[in-house]
Amino acid sequence: MKPARFAYLRAATTEHALEALHRGGGEARVIAGGQSLVPMLTMRLARPALLVDIMHVTALNRVDDDGARITVGAGVRQRALETRNGLAKRQPLLAMALPWVGHMQTRSRGTVCGSVAHADPSAELPLVLVALGGQVHLRSGHRARRVTAQEFFTGMMVTARAEDELIEAVSVPAIRPGTGYAFREISRRHGDFAIAAFAAVADERGLRLAVGGVAAIPISRVLPTDQAFGDALDAFAWDLDARDDLHASARYRRELVRRIGRDVAQEALRDQKARAVQEGG
Amino acid sequence: MALDLHARNGDEAGWVGQSIPRVEDAALLAGRGRFIDDLGTPPGTLHAAILRSPHAHASIERIDTAAARAMPGVAAVLTGAELQGLTSSLVVGVKAPVECWPMAIDRVRYVGEPVAVAVAADRYLAEDALDAIEVRYAPLPAVVAPLDALADGAPLLHEGFPGNLASDRSFSYGDPDAAFASAPHRIGVAVEYPRSACTPIETYGVVAEYDPALDAYDVLANFQGPFSIHAVMARALRVPGNRLRLRTPPDSGGSFGVKQGVFPYVVVIAVAARLAGCPVKWIEDRMEHLAGAVSATNRSTRLQAAVAEDGRILALDWDQIEDCGAHLRAPEPATLYRMHGNMTGAYAIRNVRIRNRVVVTNKLPTGLNRGFGGPQIYFPLERLISRIAATLGLDPLDVVRRNLVPADAFPYRTATGALLDSGDYAAALEAALRDGGHAGLLARRAQARAEGRLYGIGYAAVVEPSVSNMGYITTVLTAAERRRAGPKNGAQATATIALDPGGTVSVHVASVPQGQGHRTVLGQVVADVFGLRPADIRVITEMDTAKDAWSIASGNYSSRFAPAVAGAAWIAATRLRERLARVAAVQLNARPDELVFAAGKVFSPGNPGNAVAFSRLAATGHWAPATLPEDVEQPLRETAFWTPPQLGAPNDADEVNSSLCHGFIFDFCGAEVDRDTGAIRLDRYVTMHDCGRILHPGMVAGQVTGGFAHALGAALLEEQSYGPDGSLLTGTLADYLIPTAMEVPEPVILHYETPSPFTPLGAKGVGEGNTMSTPVCIANAVADALGLVDIQLPLLPSRLSEALHGAEPSSPRREARPPPAAPGERALFGSGHAEVDAAPEQLWAMLLDPDRLARVVPGAHNVQRMDETRFKAEVTLGIGPVRGRYRAEIALSDLDAPRSVTLSGSVDGVLGFGRGRGRLRLEPVGPTRTALTYDYEAAVGGKVASIGGRLLDGAARVIIGQFFASLAAQASGRRPSLWRRLLRLFRRRA
């Protein structure tokens, strides 16, 4: 478990990093917290010729909250966001999901954008991003663009990021009045990859349930809140096309979508009511 | 002179029995432990890395090491052929024409089997060299499950084990036929006990050196014993025992039996050092450990009981099929026979029939693991008790009570030959129920059930053997074979006490602790004998076979420390004290037998003022040997070899006292199962132990808690999983799940002490019992909660889904899924659909054009056409950052131009290998537009399968999707920028 030879570049600025990515082509990888990449390096699953370390680019190490959106820079560690003052008030779903990301030790190293870049199908942060309709801010040497989370995750560990692009930040809408949130994850042990994870958002546009760990990417669906809910959820469970693996059968995953999905959806609706009462009062 | 084993020093309230602070902890807590990887190595030491088989079963057609040998920093590359030239086969524990090599010679038989070793200046370069070794495998069908291994036509692992059967022995004790014929009930269970391992935090380590002048090996390894294996290693290395010097480091990061399994690697690394001409160091990494260290056996058991109306068991009929993996490695099949005397557990059952078969399969070879054969016995036996109660409508506790060995029967000879040394099982059980809050637990269950919750209670009663009889393994041989081989038996323990010129005391034992705290306890035992403080005693526990007193029974296994090793130290110290007493008697003008050793002094109780300091007395042998009384042997150093007379060889009736001591455990627990998720919550766990005399209560609690944690892992989380094709599915700790502090509740630990009459200190072993009692106790509780008859470990929530959720209504919209793959294939499957702007004929032409096909295959280089329909290529495939280079072969078949074709392909590279077949159909949907549909099945193995099992399916879909998307793009003449959109299209449908 020793990595193959690679070159290491500590980028001083975003531009410096982008230039290195451009030069490196497919052989360069960004390293931030390294919680996914380093194990892949030591197992020699990944053999990039160049690692571009962005953790010393101060411009990337910031969280911005402009009232409408919360923007998390590429250098922000998961634990830093988790312990940010008032996070639960500004975006409750993020605050609910972050404690489920790995373990406290890995969150102290791992970054929010790194988890998004890695696009593991069981990861919590991509799920939250999809549930909230978040955006991924991409930048290369010659352009900057934003893509929605839905567009960004194109497959298991495959994203819309081009090889010369850096995820500069991700952003999610801040809490909006009249919105309820809920999150829950089922895994074998706390901190393990989710067998199924659920994030629900209830607002004036309806009830959205996003499911991670079942399909190749997190999938979000608007569900009815009337008596059609059960059938719609069952259809969702089947459409996710769950597969068997070592830890859970496809059938068990569908059952979790039906049962825990229902609970999480209901919790978001209750949360919406509770917040409406608070806001009204 | 005969010793009274139970004589105590005058000072009865001694150190033994107190939970004094562990002397080991100061160093360990400060990070100053001296583990093998911390120790300095000789100058010029090189580092080894091991290339391992990605295949469960394959012939090795060719190994090309030239490129690896030519790399800078690489000193040597060792293959099986070279190993074979310098060593002999490891001995095999049954009589059969079978060899057992520590590396694959011409065939690999399990994923992880060593194939080559690279020795280089550092581990990085050694691993680089592994990447440059090219091995051509010809895969063979694999067999994974023990019952399948015995089936007609099963793939054969070893010619010398026809039908994959390494041993088949039947035993009969009492009159089981009559008991079964007359019993009113016949009740049985069938159990597939899974594989797990104890997973110590420190992996294997070996530093080996070869001295060509002496033709001698010097090896440092974190080996734990038994040192009978020293003879196995020396024989394999073709040197006499005195030319294999084996040493152990001062500290060990845990073993639980597993470090016994380092021995094949000792042979491999020793030979690597000989080839390299330098000392060679190898530290196993975690992935190697999970794939290639050692596992407990999995076992397929059918157990039947002849039962009376009141639940009394009149006879047992065991049919056990033990799966030892790919090789029968020493001391296997010991796991199967370690419990042979204890096949009736804690019960007085006089009629027993046993059939024991040992099979080989394409899995990791097995060896010592905590519990060693106990979990595999007690799971069926205690499930049986539970089934008897359910079948006859009895309280399971009454079934236990009616069958327990009665208190007045000790020492009790079991039907199969064990001599249960002491105990009062019924009293211990009642004490557990009373002090463990059993009545309250019954009330909690009633309450939970009234609320509609799923709550159950489980029980388990087990006898925990310790201090194994070195001869029990020969029960696998027939009586005639044993007579020819000569008797093997006993359980020798060794300890040396030395006094230095300053009069201080040192202790050495041939035990090799693996973190248990031997030094602390030996300090207590010896301090009590000499009337000193434990801090006055220095204990050394590392081993050196060239200098220390040891025997084949030396080492740290079968829970032998407290009963055997500590007892041997007590005997050595007591002998030395008797000599010192006679020296002191002269100096103090007193009788030796009236002298008391206490508070650092030696004196006669009648005249305490007339005393001599212990240190002065102890130094006499150094400074004034001429003053010693003539008939007193030197009082400087004493080595005791202790062997208990109760451990005879198996007799001609195949009765064997397989262990010296037998503790008793009675457990009960309450568990609740979540209706939605199937998650199991242990509400309360009570474990009652009779482990004889307790030497250090804190360490006993530590052993019980640790054994409980291991057992909880085996019950709920751990399984070393193999796919039906023999792929290892648990290659990392993300898939081989061990319990952490978060998952382990604290058990309520109770004690009931009946000292063993057979051990010097009255102690029995205590470290393994919960691995035997706890898995089945939890399973019984879950079965009670869900009303299950059949229950298998580990208790994955997903596996309980059927019982919890009933049959699943079928999908409202979907057609049936593709049928499962052929047996032996762990296949991934999928299908897709796309429309492209090209006529079917255009697409067809492209498929048969190698240049254009080359462009379709993702990441292909150097495409070569082998014939009309077969192509060879080098391809780079990847998902996200995971990327690897592979050799690929692609063939077209079943051509039906221009409508359909079958594409078959295989890839092979350092990250693994895969095979796939896809049927592609083309249908015109317009003049220049074609609907393209495909379905495929693929099988993936090797490193990627071991590491990324949960992602493989998705990864295969992405790569196959890439292929077809690229095909569509090529056919349409589109630029690559469009591929992505197409890819997305495929992904949604795939």
Side-chain angles (χ1 to χ4, degrees):
Chain A
M1 288 181 76
K2 304 288 182 201
R5 186 177 290 274
F6 58 82
Y8 170 87
L9 176 88
R10 180 179 286 181
T13 62
T14 305
E15 290 66 33
H16 189 195
L18 292 174
E19 188 200 308
L21 285 179
H22 177 70
R23 266 190 291 116
E27 293 302 314
R29 296 293 302 185
V30 170
I31 184 162
Q35 296 304 290
S36 299
L37 186 55
V38 170
M40 293 173 116
L41 292 173
T42 59
M43 293 190 272
R44 298 196 175 207
L45 290 173
R47 308 168 164 245
L50 171 68
L51 288 186
V52 181
D53 185 347
I54 58 162
M55 294 308 278
H56 298 266
V57 180
T58 35
L60 295 174
N61 186 15
R62 52 186 292 177
V63 179
D64 288 316
D65 183 347
D66 68 2
R69 295 190 78 77
I70 300 166
T71 304
V72 182
V76 177
R77 300 194 196 270
Q78 293 151 7
R79 184 77 177 147
L81 185 62
E82 183 186 354
T83 54
R84 181 181 165 86
N85 257 345
L87 180 72
K89 288 209 174 73
R90 298 295 303 139
Q91 182 35 266
L93 192 59
L94 263 183
M96 290 174 193
L98 274 164
W100 292 89
V101 179
H103 306 270
M104 194 175 73
Q105 292 84 344
T106 63
R107 293 197 295 279
S108 298
R109 297 291 304 170
T111 61
V112 174
C113 291
S115 170
V116 170
H118 186 55
D120 187 292
S122 289
E124 294 79 7
L125 290 167
L127 172 67
V128 166
L129 212 61
V130 165
L132 291 174
Q135 293 187 338
V136 181
H137 305 208
L138 295 163
R139 180 183 290 277
S140 69
H142 60 278
R143 68 165 178 171
R145 61 182 181 128
R146 292 185 183 193
V147 296
T148 64
Q150 303 263 11
E151 290 170 324
F152 182 76
F153 299 109
T154 56
M156 194 197 76
M157 292 166 67
V158 185
T159 68
R161 185 185 72 84
E163 279 174 353
D164 63 346
E165 283 181 315
L166 168 72
I167 298 178
E168 205 176 12
V170 295
S171 64
V172 293
I175 188 170
R176 280 200 313 271
T179 307
Y181 304 91
F183 182 91
R184 196 170 159 197
E185 175 169 322
I186 307 297
S187 58
R188 302 253 334 255
R189 301 171 306 183
H190 182 80
D192 283 337
F193 292 108
I195 289 172
F198 304 87
V201 180
D203 60 19
E204 75 287 350
R205 291 172 300 176
L207 170 68
R208 271 195 318 287
L209 178 67
V211 179
V214 180
I217 55 173
I219 308 270
S220 165
R221 185 174 280 193
V222 176
L223 296 173
T225 52
D226 55 14
Q227 69 275 18
F229 175 81
D231 287 343
L233 185 61
D234 183 51
F236 190 21
W238 285 103
D239 289 346
L240 288 167
D241 197 18
R243 301 285 171 120
D244 294 333
D245 69 16
L246 198 55
H247 304 294
S249 63
R251 184 259 157 95
Y252 176 70
R253 286 192 160 93
R254 283 193 294 275
E255 211 64 68
L256 291 178
V257 174
R258 291 185 198 106
R259 290 160 184 270
I260 309 304
R262 172 199 61 206
D263 291 354
V264 173
Q266 284 169 356
E267 201 183 315
L269 291 168
R270 277 198 304 275
D271 186 51
Q272 183 188 24
K273 275 194 197 124
R275 286 183 198 274
V277 169
Q278 278 175 4
E279 286 155 10
Chain B
M1 174 175 58
L3 281 175
D4 175 0
L5 290 185
H6 294 277
R8 293 280 181 271
N9 190 21
D11 185 8
E12 268 297 341
W15 297 102
V16 168
Q18 293 189 43
S19 294
I20 65 166
R22 291 176 12 127
V23 296
E24 290 84 356
D25 288 346
L28 294 177
L29 293 174
R32 293 181 183 277
R34 289 174 300 149
F35 301 94
I36 188 164
D37 201 20
D38 301 322
L39 302 176
T41 51
T45 298
L46 300 176
H47 297 264
I50 300 175
L51 184 70
R52 294 170 182 275
S53 169
H55 292 277
H57 201 187
S59 298
I60 300 175
E61 298 193 321
R62 193 168 62 85
I63 304 182
D64 185 350
T65 61
R69 287 177 206 268
M71 289 171 72
V74 175
V77 177
L78 170 67
T79 63
E82 285 152 310
L83 178 102
Q84 206 177 14
L86 293 170
T87 64
S88 302
S89 163
L90 303 170
V91 291
V92 175
V94 296
K95 301 273 175 244
V98 166
E99 293 187 328
C100 178
W101 296 93
M103 283 175 74
I105 304 298
D106 50 11
R107 183 150 44 135
V108 292
R109 293 183 176 87
Y110 63 96
V111 171
E113 182 160 18
V115 172
V117 180
V119 178
D122 64 38
R123 179 67 177 250
Y124 291 84
L125 294 173
E127 291 194 19
D128 289 348
L130 297 188
D131 287 348
I133 298 174
E134 256 198 65
V135 188
R136 280 278 177 183
Y137 296 99
L140 298 166
V143 64
V144 174
L147 285 169
D148 295 344
L150 291 176
D152 285 344
L156 190 66
L157 272 82
H158 300 270
E159 308 302 326
F161 290 149
N164 295 316
L165 189 61
S167 165
D168 183 354
R169 284 221 65 198
S170 293
F171 306 89
S172 183
Y173 304 91
D175 192 351
D177 293 341
F180 274 99
S182 62
H185 299 282
R186 188 186 183 97
I187 297 169
V189 293
V191 170
E192 302 300 320
Y193 200 84
R195 280 191 159 217
S196 60
C198 286
T199 328
I201 195 164
E202 180 198 43
T203 55
Y204 292 164
V206 179
V207 183
E209 216 173 326
Y210 174 71
D211 182 341
L214 292 172
D215 186 27
Y217 293 94
D218 192 329
V219 175
L220 175 74
N222 52 10
F223 177 67
Q224 68 144 40
F227 278 75
S228 53
I229 299 292
H230 180 272
V232 174
M233 291 186 276
R235 184 180 179 281
L237 288 167
R238 297 185 190 158
V239 290
N242 60 8
R243 288 176 196 263
L244 170 60
R245 181 175 185 180
L246 179 62
R247 292 174 295 123
T248 64
D251 284 308
S252 163
S255 171
F256 319 107
V258 172
K259 295 273 172 66
Q260 173 265 338
V262 71
F263 83 89
Y265 293 102
V266 168
V267 174
V268 169
I269 301 302
V271 171
R274 180 172 178 167
L275 275 188
C278 289
V280 172
K281 176 175 177 175
W282 169 72
I283 300 291
E284 178 189 54
D285 68 35
R286 183 58 64 188
M287 283 167 65
E288 293 184 278
H289 187 83
L290 290 170
V294 89
S295 161
T297 63
N298 55 297
R299 190 178 298 177
S300 179
T301 301
R302 306 288 173 277
L303 172 61
Q304 300 279 322
V307 188
E309 289 296 349
D310 65 355
R312 269 181 309 115
I313 300 171
L314 307 172
L316 289 178
D317 183 354
W318 290 92
D319 184 357
Q320 306 191 96
I321 304 171
E322 177 85 325
D323 179 353
C324 285
H327 299 282
L328 203 61
R329 215 181 249 169
E332 295 290 23
T335 311
L336 185 56
Y337 285 92
R338 190 255 182 138
M339 301 297 292
H340 199 78
N342 304 115
M343 298 303 287
T344 48
Y347 309 120
I349 303 169
R350 299 313 310 172
N351 306 300
V352 182
R353 189 159 54 209
I354 301 170
R355 183 178 184 194
N356 278 346
R357 280 174 284 181
V358 178
V359 300
V360 287
T361 60
N362 292 109
K363 303 204 292 283
L364 175 63
T366 58
L368 270 62
N369 267 271
R370 196 177 202 161
F372 202 50
Q376 293 91 330
I377 291 294
Y378 286 116
F379 193 89
L381 188 57
E382 293 303 295
R383 280 295 299 142
L384 177 71
I385 296 290
S386 173
R387 292 302 309 145
I388 289 171
T391 308
L392 303 183
L394 300 170
D395 182 337
L397 282 172
D398 287 334
V399 179
V400 173
R401 286 180 180 116
R402 284 168 197 161
N403 285 291
L404 285 176
V405 173
D408 57 10
F410 290 92
Y412 175 83
R413 182 73 69 179
T414 68
T416 51
L419 186 62
L420 304 182
D421 44 341
S422 66
D424 184 341
Y425 297 171
L429 179 145
E430 301 305 335
L433 296 176
R434 186 186 64 236
D435 301 339
H438 182 252
L441 204 62
L442 291 175
R444 284 173 76 80
R445 178 173 67 181
Q447 168 83 22
R449 287 181 173 176
E451 291 167 7
R453 292 185 284 132
L454 300 168
Y455 193 105
I457 294 178
Y459 305 95
V462 318
V463 163
E464 174 183 2
S466 51
V467 191
S468 57
N469 181 346
M470 293 306 284
Y472 73 77
I473 178 57
T474 61
T475 320
V476 72
L477 306 175
T478 62
E481 286 171 330
R482 284 196 298 267
R483 276 193 294 273
R484 279 197 295 277
K488 292 199 173 54
N489 68 288
Q492 197 138 249
T494 313
T496 299
I497 314 279
L499 304 175
D500 65 40
T504 61
V505 183
S506 298
V507 180
H508 177 265
V509 290
S511 174
V512 196
Q514 309 286 312
Q516 297 104 320
H518 293 185
R519 286 159 51 203
T520 301
V521 175
L522 292 171
Q524 291 175 285
V525 168
V526 174
D528 275 354
V529 173
F530 292 131
L532 301 171
R533 296 164 305 165
D536 299 329
I537 314 292
R538 174 88 191 271
V539 183
I540 306 287
T541 50
E542 52 257 52
M543 274 277 293
D544 180 342
T545 57
K547 290 181 169 178
D548 297 329
W550 59 282
S551 81
I552 61 161
S554 295
N556 181 21
Y557 60 96
S558 80
S559 300
R560 64 201 308 282
F561 172 73
V565 177
W570 180 83
I571 291 169
T574 303
R575 285 188 195 152
L576 211 46
R577 186 188 65 192
E578 289 186 354
R579 264 179 247 160
L580 290 173
R582 292 171 65 193
V583 177
V586 175
Q587 295 180 6
L588 298 175
N589 198 17
R591 285 201 329 275
D593 61 355
E594 68 178 349
L595 292 179
V596 171
F597 287 61
K601 293 191 174 69
V602 181
F603 54 90
S604 151
N607 185 9
N610 182 23
V612 57
F614 175 85
S615 55
R616 193 179 177 90
L617 175 65
T620 310
H622 285 279
W623 296 106
T627 67
L628 297 178
E630 252 179 37
D631 57 343
V632 174
E633 213 184 317
Q634 59 72 22
L636 295 177
R637 188 182 185 96
E638 178 63 26
T639 296
F641 290 90
W642 171 76
T643 194
Q646 293 84 4
L647 294 183
N651 64 18
D652 283 356
D654 288 318
E655 291 160 352
V656 59
N657 189 17
S658 36
S659 299
L660 178 69
C661 303
H662 297 90
F664 175 71
I665 301 176
F666 177 72
D667 288 359
F668 63 93
C669 71
E672 181 168 359
V673 183
D674 184 291
R675 261 188 204 283
D676 286 332
T677 65
I680 296 163
R681 183 182 64 85
L682 262 190
D683 186 36
R684 181 177 180 79
Y685 198 98
V686 178
T687 183
M688 161 62 86
H689 285 253
D690 178 354
C691 60
R693 184 165 173 232
I694 293 174
L695 306 183
H696 188 296
M699 284 192 212
V700 167
Q703 287 294 332
V704 171
T705 306
F708 175 73
H710 263 138
L712 196 83
L716 303 179
L717 295 167
E718 297 182 37
E719 180 172 15
Q720 195 180 47
S721 294
Y722 288 85
D725 59 352
S727 289
L728 174 67
L729 305 181
T730 45
T732 73
L733 293 179
D735 286 316
Y736 188 83
L737 304 185
I738 53 181
T740 70
M742 302 270 290
E743 283 78 40
V744 185
E746 272 197 45
V748 177
I749 302 171
L750 304 171
H751 291 288
Y752 188 95
E753 280 188 46
T754 59
S756 174
F758 299 160
T759 67
L761 297 167
K764 305 180 184 184
V766 70
E768 301 180 78
N770 281 88
T771 65
M772 307 178 191
S773 59
T774 298
V776 67
C777 185
I778 295 174
N780 279 340
V782 171
D784 181 46
L786 300 180
L788 295 176
V789 172
D790 183 36
I791 190 162
Q792 307 283 348
L793 299 183
L795 301 164
L796 262 59
S798 171
R799 292 186 188 164
L800 301 176
S801 189
E802 203 75 32
L804 280 169
H805 305 135
E808 184 181 30
S810 60
S811 160
R813 286 199 292 280
R814 277 174 180 258
E815 61 284 11
R817 298 287 294 273
E825 287 284 274
R826 192 175 45 82
L828 316 165
F829 47 81
S831 59
H833 171 91
E835 287 189 10
V836 293
D837 289 330
E841 290 76 12
Q842 283 173 276
L843 276 167
W844 190 261
M846 214 188 74
L847 285 170
L848 294 178
D849 174 350
D851 294 336
R852 297 186 66 193
L853 186 65
R855 268 175 271 155
V856 173
V857 178
H861 345 262
N862 309 329
V863 181
Q864 290 171 284
R865 187 175 193 149
M866 294 154 74
D867 61 35
E868 278 299 296
T869 54
R870 294 198 304 137
F871 306 92
K872 241 164 78 169
E874 299 263 307
V875 297
T876 302
L877 295 176
I879 309 286
V882 180
R883 215 167 283 181
R885 223 175 143 87
Y886 303 85
R887 291 182 297 270
E889 291 186 10
I890 300 155
L892 307 177
S893 58
D894 304 330
L895 289 87
D896 177 14
R899 283 183 290 271
S900 64
V901 61
T902 297
L903 288 157
S904 322
S906 66
V907 291
D908 188 6
V910 280
L911 291 186
F913 55 87
R915 274 191 314 284
R917 278 165 77 82
R919 185 76 181 160
L920 179 68
R921 280 175 294 276
L922 312 173
E923 246 178 274
V925 288
T928 59
R929 202 164 161 79
T930 302
L932 192 155
T933 58
Y934 64 87
D935 47 67
Y936 66 84
E937 56 173 44
V940 181
K943 191 170 178 179
V944 284
S946 301
I947 296 169
R950 85 196 158 89
L951 302 175
L952 268 193
D953 203 330
R957 274 194 277 179
V958 170
I959 286 173
I960 291 164
Q962 278 171 9
F963 173 81
F964 286 104
S966 160
L967 179 67
Q970 283 283 325
S972 307
R974 295 287 170 85
R975 292 172 56 77
S977 59
L978 265 178
W979 292 14
R980 257 172 223 289
R981 264 165 45 198
L982 283 160
L983 191 58
R984 211 171 307 139
L985 186 66
F986 276 107
R987 192 167 309 109
R988 284 187 188 147
R989 309 264 164 102

